[in-house]
Amino acid sequence: ALPYDWCISVASISAIVIKTCEAIYQKLKDEVMATPTDVQSWKDISKQLENWNFPNGLGLYVYNTSLIH
């Protein structure tokens, strides 16, 4: 629906979305996606995931951060 709402081609919208996501990532990667450096940081993340009822989420977190870095 965006091409019709904005009168822009699908290719242009795709380029805008990709560039916007890259800019957001570059700006926030150190703050939001920082890799923990000590044991206590890993434990804090694990505890947060358990509080969200996602007890095995630490493995997913490690997998995702390794893919991004």
Side-chain angles (χ1 to χ4, degrees), residues 35-48 58 61-62:
T35 303
T37 56
D38 60 350
V39 173
Q40 187 58 43
S41 297
W42 284 109
K43 288 181 179 180
D44 292 343
I45 292 169
S46 177
K47 188 65 174 170
Q48 288 175 356
L58 189 59
Y61 178 85
V62 171

Side-chain angles (χ1 to χ4, degrees), residues 3-16:
Y4 300 111
D5 292 342
W6 294 351
C7 298
I8 309 176
S9 71
V10 173
S12 295
I13 291 174
S14 296
I16 291 168

Side-chain angles (χ1 to χ4, degrees), residues 17-36:
V17 169
I18 290 169
K19 287 182 181 184
T20 302
C21 289
E22 287 174 354
I24 291 169
Y25 173 73
Q26 290 299 323
K27 184 69 175 173
L28 297 177
K29 69 179 179 179
D30 295 332
E31 180 180 339
V32 178
M33 293 299 295
T35 303

